[in-house]
């Protein structure tokens, strides 16, 4: 099963039977993608862990 | 009669710098330095440069009794919960976190990702920028010291903004050393990873841009890159000059703005190795060096600013604000001029 | 049958890098390396990393006899006098100086401050940018390799420009290590002065901006700062997206432009320590890493580029161009992938 | 037919260097790289320099099936429990930890503070020092690669010891970069703490001194200091020359010992900037440079050694040992010569 | 009534540091700073950290009129010709070169390679080492400040030597930053060459060893290595304890020697990141940190010393000596405590 | 005698009797100023010694 990464628009391949709230990693941008729907397969970007410099 | 002071968050990098400066301040008696993690242990455990200079030990924050002046150097988003409980522990409170810098709680949420926990207090804080708000600081009991890169950019751009010499947006390209992220680093802060890096950690919308906009009145587009340095911030700020403004007006604006400022130097020279502001020679000092360069061909100006993020970008600036607030000479505790070479 | 090669200006930093790469090239027989200053002395006198790898000694430039391929790594403004005399000494000539990069002699004079000495030759040079001009390079006998910061910026911006995704000017903020100024430094290059510096040595109109404009078709406003590094260039290029262009179009443009490129990697990740191009991990390698970041809010794009100024920013790029010209595999001599940590 | 290889501990600094070298090795097919922490994620997550060079993902160590050659790059004191379980997973095993370097389990306990868990295996390991044990390595199925500082000191001192030119104890003063402590740093490894440091982390009895004694036959007194560098080890080894030994005997001993060695260079020059071994120009290369200096006045010798701790001090040396074991050219996979300047 | 002072050699690194310290000294009026090269130009031309702190311009050395106190910071072997002409220009003269440090002109010739030009003056100088010769300094009109590495080693070893705890030779392994070679560097001092180096520039018989022997009474064997740092010297001094001397005697000796010293700290801790002396946290400060480590097994002691070569290793030590000579508080002008992190 | 620096517009003080082509240094921007006329006193900026990095 595949879908598109909302960050970089690369094709993301999910396991055969994706589970709701499972976290996938996009191979291109390495973003963490949360499975928000399984049929159809939809993923959402998990929040980015920002670095906290220069405060 | 000396004034007592306490540093909350005293085991961190800003806390340690506050301790260093306050120990050398002729009017201050530093009585309390807090750390939960190191409670009971000597202050020089965290700050080995202070060996032989103090016998203070860390106090648990919970055990803080109070002091005339409170410096709060705790993480943002946590400080807004602390401050309400601290207000009756001291006459003057200076916060160094980001929590009380932005007047508008919506802007805070946009940049910090959480709801502000004490929005009613926001208006009661005076921005800790002596060069812009010296008068207000003389009467301020709550002072919010701006961010390190924000201070550099605000001071670099302020003369242009105040004199109405620029139009539209200011683009800020900031570079910072590793101490900017504090003493509690993650894996990316390990020496082998961070050494020699040019790490664009904020390619857009760094939080400090909201502070710059608030202080200068100009929209701001900001990037931030970690470069090889422990201390030191440098900003390059670009803006379009309005019609009629040229090199002469720009130079005049800087001279007028900073002629009497004890801690801002105009550095824009045509010869020598250090022609424009470079934080290399500012480590430990409270100077912010600023220097404008006008492109005579196309009417843009690039203003460079540099400072030590822990001093003029934090602890030193807080001490300067306090000196103003108390009516003391503004240089008290801030006499160190920086080193060369270094 | 191997191809013979000579390096003119072989005692310099670019010259040394050419020697390193050519010694490891399976099709090349490096026969001559020139230096007036060190004529007769072993090549490893200037390049101690090559100890045990070559027994070549430096040849006086005046004694150069010729070779199939000539690499010229001499100072700009001096090279334009050298090249005419070199043309009949080799079949293919690759120049690494700035003297044959700009097609228009007036633009040359504007940026180099002197009249061009061989304007008639300018049109005969093909720009040494495989990613833009691979086809032309297959037949080129005179190749002019672009400047280090220019290469980084051109490759960072090219997909946007080629697809017409941006409007107007590109602002380039470049940072560079100390090897960019070559082996003959002045007082400002001394370690005690240069170490840890953030030196805005070109606050405006750096020479490379003319190259960027020529290659991308966009006007360019460029600053350059020396930061703590020996090797390494990083550029931040900002431009406004034209209406209708967004993150998806931008990503697609980069993929299309660089999918088949052996030495350009797209680096724009959401996790990890090295999310955007950082020259730290590129020392010695021929990669140029590029990564775009789109501000979804306001429609600006920041494209980051990074490379090793002596490799993809100079000697390595020249070797890649030669490989294309000769029909050899493009990676020949360029297999080193870079180190981490370093 | 290629040989398959697996790297256990592939997410660490030594592991990453092994992956880099093995990907470039013409006889090796790297099939497995383990990490418990990053299992399933791409190998370039931990090693960004390998982007575009491999599509391998990390395997959980528990899921390791086997390979012709196993490289073990796991922490000491943990490796001795791993190895017994790994022995039947590969024909040849090379361990890079300290666990199988010392032949005597009592000496192990003295230096590592714990009882050895597999003392019976100790004798089955051949020390991975090509320059001393090349013959034994041709038939070795279990190879224990020495420590980085130990390798530098052993190679610096070996010609003196082998020729009986020195008496008594060898004093070793070692300096090391930050990658020597691996990717899992503590608070002291943070950039702001470690940058520019001269940290005497082992004022006496560094563990590697037992390895030096074992290989040279001389008692050893060793200190180790962390200095500013990511990669790189340098040792200064001092010993008293026995009567009758002087500069000529010393030079001869080094020439004899290393004339045919592909990865040891004698560097002891009287002119130039790099007169004695300096790890600065060795990053990424498999060279160990050594150079003796004799004090004609008092009959002491100082032997300097330098290498890249992750290459000749670890991963590269392991690959060299494997090349010997397999009868491949010793330089396979190790062609990179190092950079200058850098 | 203030005391006037002049700095001869004021454009150099030691000269600049003297200017910085003297400008902050409450009893001193700095009237003259000499430089032939920069005569007439502002002092901050050479020392950009002093911008805004002084309006002094450089005086040509030939035009020097005189001052109460003369600091001489000129190159060795040239200073011995200068000093005789300077003696009547000031009441107190402090020389920072090597020319008047060694009492014996034969030892001078051995280490400096030239005949001493003013041997009769040698006995008239008092060594500028407060910790050893404070009493003599109170009456001294000619003071010769020791070398930077010598000071670190002398202070590290002195308690052991004074209490007779060690036998025989002291081996000193010194590391130094790039400012130690002054502002007039050669090609080897260029950033690209010197950055990240570990350069054994004196594998034996460094000149400072004669000073160490003179001050401690022990023969000394010294090596010196340039490591990555601008400021900072660290020495590791090893010696054999005499029978009966152990950890307790050693600790006691240090305590006794330095209990009342304002600028020597004993640093030998068992926890934390900065356990032994590290010059990283001493930049700009006048501290010399010393710390002994005893090997309980074999009766050797390693004493570590660290300082800032331009401060306690030069300019700061000179000011401390003057304070003693004049009966001023010893800390005058020397209050800066050093930074952390940095 | 004084004039104005063409770079930074700060007042530049020349010696009592300035000589044609004499070089003055501006105290503010440290630019080298060549005396191009003595009555009236006029100065021009000498060319800047640029650093040559990043080629
Ligand atoms: N670093 C800079 O350049 C810079 C410049 C300007 C402003 N700032 C701001 O200054 C503040 C401190 O920064 P830093 O760099 O010093 O960070 P840091 O090194 O991480 O130190 C944080 C300090 O806060 C204390 N702390 C943590 N949680 C606390 C809590 N809930 N209540 C009380 N104390 C708490 C810690 O004490 P424990 O020992 O108990 O953990 C520590 O002393 C931050 O808000 C930062 O944004 C930093
Ligand atoms: N450094 C970089 O990052 C970089 C990147 C891309 C392009 N470039 C360009 O590459 C060229 C070389 O740069 P570099 O950094 O290697 O400079 P460099 O280290 O100063 O070396 C210059 C070389 O040119 C030789 N040379 C000087 N004058 C000459 C003449 N009249 N005829 C022949 N040879 C002459 C010198 O040889 P002697 O031993 O005889 O003095 C030396 O070998 C420059 O044009 C530079 O702009 C540099
Ligand atoms: N660094 C040097 O200069 C150097 C030089 C020569 C030899 N060595 C030796 O080489 C070894 C590795 O050093 P390093 O610097 O690479 O350390 P490192 O960066 O900390 O890496 C350690 C590696 O071991 C893995 N690991 C940890 N516990 C394990 C276990 N129980 N079983 C299997 N794998 C385990 C880790 O994987 P996870 O991702 O699962 O945590 C990681 O991949 C050490 O023994 C070290 O002494 C190091
Ligand atoms: N650097 C250190 O860490 C350190 C530490 C302790 C002691 N020292 C000693 O201190 C002295 C100065 O060292 P430095 O590192 O400051 O050197 P430096 O940076 O090279 O400065 C030398 C200074 O001496 C002046 N000078 C040169 N020749 C002269 C002469 N014949 N008469 C008068 N002045 C002359 C130079 O002035 P111009 O502008 O006229 O050339 C310059 O101001 C040396 O003797 C050195 O050994 C150095
Ligand atoms: Zn993606
Ligand atoms: Zn001016």
């Amino acid at each position: 099963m595949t879908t598109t990464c909302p960050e970089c628009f690369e094709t993301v391949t999910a396991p055969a039977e994706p589970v709701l709230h499972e976290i996938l990693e996009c191979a291109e941008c390495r973003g963490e993608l949360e499975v928000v729907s399984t049929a159809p397969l939809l993923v959402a970007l998990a929040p980015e862990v920002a670095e906290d410099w220069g405060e | 009669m000396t004034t007592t002071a306490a540093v909350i968050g005293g085991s961190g990098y800003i806390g340690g710098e506050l301790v260093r400066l306050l120990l050398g301040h002729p009017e201050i008696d530093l009585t309390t330095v807090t750390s939960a993690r190191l409670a009971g242990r000597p202050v020089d455990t965290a700050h080995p440069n202070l060996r032989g200079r103090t016998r203070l030990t860390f106090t648990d924050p919970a055990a803080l009794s109070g002091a005339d002046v409170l410096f709060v150097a705790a993480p943002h988003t946590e400080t807004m919960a602390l401050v309400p409980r601290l207000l009756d522990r001291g006459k003057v409170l200076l916060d160094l976190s980001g929590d009380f810098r932005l007047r508008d709680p919506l802007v805070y949420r946009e940049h910090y990702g959480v709801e502000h926990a004490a929005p009613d207090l926001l208006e009661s804080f005076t921005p800790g920028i002596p060069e812009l708000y010296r008068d207000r600081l003389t009467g301020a009991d709550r002072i919010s010291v701006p961010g390190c890169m924000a201070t550099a950019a605000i001071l670099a751009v302020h003369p242009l903004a105040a004199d109405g010499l620029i139009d539209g947006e200011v683009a800020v390209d900031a570079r910072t050393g590793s101490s900017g992220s504090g003493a509690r680093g993650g894996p990316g802060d390990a020496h082998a990873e961070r050494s020699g890096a040019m790490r664009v950690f904020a390619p857009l919308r760094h939080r400090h841009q909201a502070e710059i906009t608030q202080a200068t009145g100009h929209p701001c587009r900001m990037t931030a890159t970690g470069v090889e340095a422990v201390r030191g911030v440098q900003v390059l700020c670009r803006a379009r000059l309005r019609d009629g403004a040229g090199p002469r007006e720009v130079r005049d604006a800087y001279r007028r703005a900073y002629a009497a400022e004890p801690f801002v130097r105009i550095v824009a020279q045509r010869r020598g190795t250090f022609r424009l502001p470079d934080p290399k020679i500012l480590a430990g000092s409270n100077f912010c060096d600023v220097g404008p360069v006008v492109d005579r061909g196309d009417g843009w100006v690039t203003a460079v600013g540099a400072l030590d993020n822990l001093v003029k970008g934090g602890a030193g600036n807080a001490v300067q604000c306090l000196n103003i607030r108390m009516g003391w000479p503004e240089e008290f505790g801030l006499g160190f001029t920086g080193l060369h070479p270094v």
Side-chain angles (χ1 to χ4, degrees), chain A, chain B:
Chain A
M1 263 177 127
T2 66
T3 180
T4 299
C5 171
E7 170 71 12
C8 74
F9 314 103
E10 189 58 84
T11 303
V12 177
T13 311
E17 295 189 20
V19 182
L20 207 61
H21 303 310
E22 182 178 7
I23 299 288
L24 310 175
E25 181 179 280
C26 168
E28 176 86 0
C29 73
R30 309 293 163 95
E32 286 189 298
L33 306 175
E34 182 181 350
V35 176
V36 290
S37 146
T38 52
L41 178 62
L42 286 179
V43 296
L45 214 48
E48 184 171 6
V49 185
E51 283 195 89
D52 223 19
W53 278 4
E55 303 305 315
Chain B
M1 217 194 67
T2 59
T3 300
T4 58
V7 173
I8 287 88
S11 67
Y13 285 165
I14 284 287
E17 201 67 3
L18 284 165
V19 173
R20 175 177 79 81
L21 296 172
L22 295 173
L23 288 174
H25 194 292
E27 296 284 344
I28 295 272
D29 181 15
L30 179 62
T31 52
T32 313
V33 183
T34 80
S35 164
R37 194 171 36 97
L38 298 175
R41 299 186 56 196
V43 162
D44 65 16
T45 304
H47 310 304
N49 57 324
L50 302 179
R51 285 171 179 154
R53 284 283 153 102
T54 179
R55 305 201 138 262
L56 279 168
T57 54
F58 285 112
T59 300
D60 192 283
L64 176 74
S65 51
D68 296 332
V69 181
L70 303 180
F71 291 90
V72 187
H76 55 71
T77 73
E78 301 194 31
T79 299
M80 58 190 174
L82 279 178
V83 159
R85 287 180 274 137
L86 291 171
L87 289 175
D88 63 352
R89 304 288 172 86
K91 279 203 283 280
V92 179
L93 181 148
L94 299 104
D95 179 35
L96 288 109
S97 84
D99 283 0
F100 295 94
R101 292 178 193 156
L102 298 170
R103 274 190 304 270
D104 183 342
L106 295 180
V107 178
Y108 182 86
R109 191 180 58 192
E110 187 189 330
H111 281 91
Y112 290 83
V114 295
E115 208 65 45
H116 202 289
D120 297 350
L121 293 179
L122 288 174
E123 281 296 335
S124 70
F125 277 82
T126 300
I129 315 177
E131 295 77 7
L132 276 71
Y133 308 110
R134 187 171 276 105
D135 281 358
R136 289 174 55 191
L137 286 167
T138 58
D141 286 342
R142 300 180 193 167
I143 296 169
S144 173
V145 178
C148 50
M149 295 184 279
T151 299
I154 291 166
L155 294 177
V157 169
H158 163 64
L160 301 169
D163 281 24
L165 297 181
I166 52 173
D167 272 341
E169 180 180 274
V170 177
V172 175
D173 194 72
R175 304 90 189 262
T176 177
S178 59
S179 66
S181 51
R184 293 295 192 79
D189 293 308
H191 179 269
E193 301 296 325
R194 181 63 176 74
S195 170
M198 303 190 201
R199 193 185 298 167
V200 184
F201 65 95
L204 44 88
R205 299 186 172 237
H206 188 279
R207 276 195 287 261
H208 289 180
Q209 76 184 34
E211 298 181 39
I212 300 167
T213 294
Q214 180 173 291
T216 65
H218 285 264
C220 174
R221 178 184 310 287
M222 179 170 174
T223 70
T225 305
V227 299
E228 174 59 49
V230 171
R231 290 177 181 235
V233 156
Q234 186 186 53
V235 292
L236 261 63
C237 310
R238 264 151 297 184
R240 187 188 300 272
L241 288 175
R242 72 155 170 68
D243 285 353
R248 160 155 261 157
E249 289 73 24
V250 167
R251 276 273 177 178
D252 283 352
Y254 281 81
R255 276 199 209 104
R256 235 184 345 261
Y258 296 136
E261 283 301 332
F263 291 113
V264 181
R265 300 185 295 197
I266 302 171
V267 174
Q269 304 192 341
R270 285 182 58 87
R271 283 208 293 174
T273 297
F274 292 84
R275 299 178 189 198
L276 286 166
D278 186 335
K280 173 178 161 77
I281 55 168
L282 299 176
S285 98
N286 196 48
F287 288 118
C288 177
D289 286 350
V290 300
V293 183
V294 173
D295 189 330
R296 286 163 196 255
D298 71 356
W300 279 67
V301 61
T302 299
V304 184
L307 49 70
D308 177 336
N309 53 302
L310 298 178
V311 190
K312 185 64 176 172
N317 200 23
V319 170
Q320 186 184 355
C321 290
L322 181 69
N323 287 342
I324 293 169
R325 165 63 182 75
M326 306 300 276
W328 299 326
E330 217 161 311
E331 296 87 345
F332 268 17
L334 302 170
F336 182 66
T337 193
L339 301 172
H340 172 263
V342 72

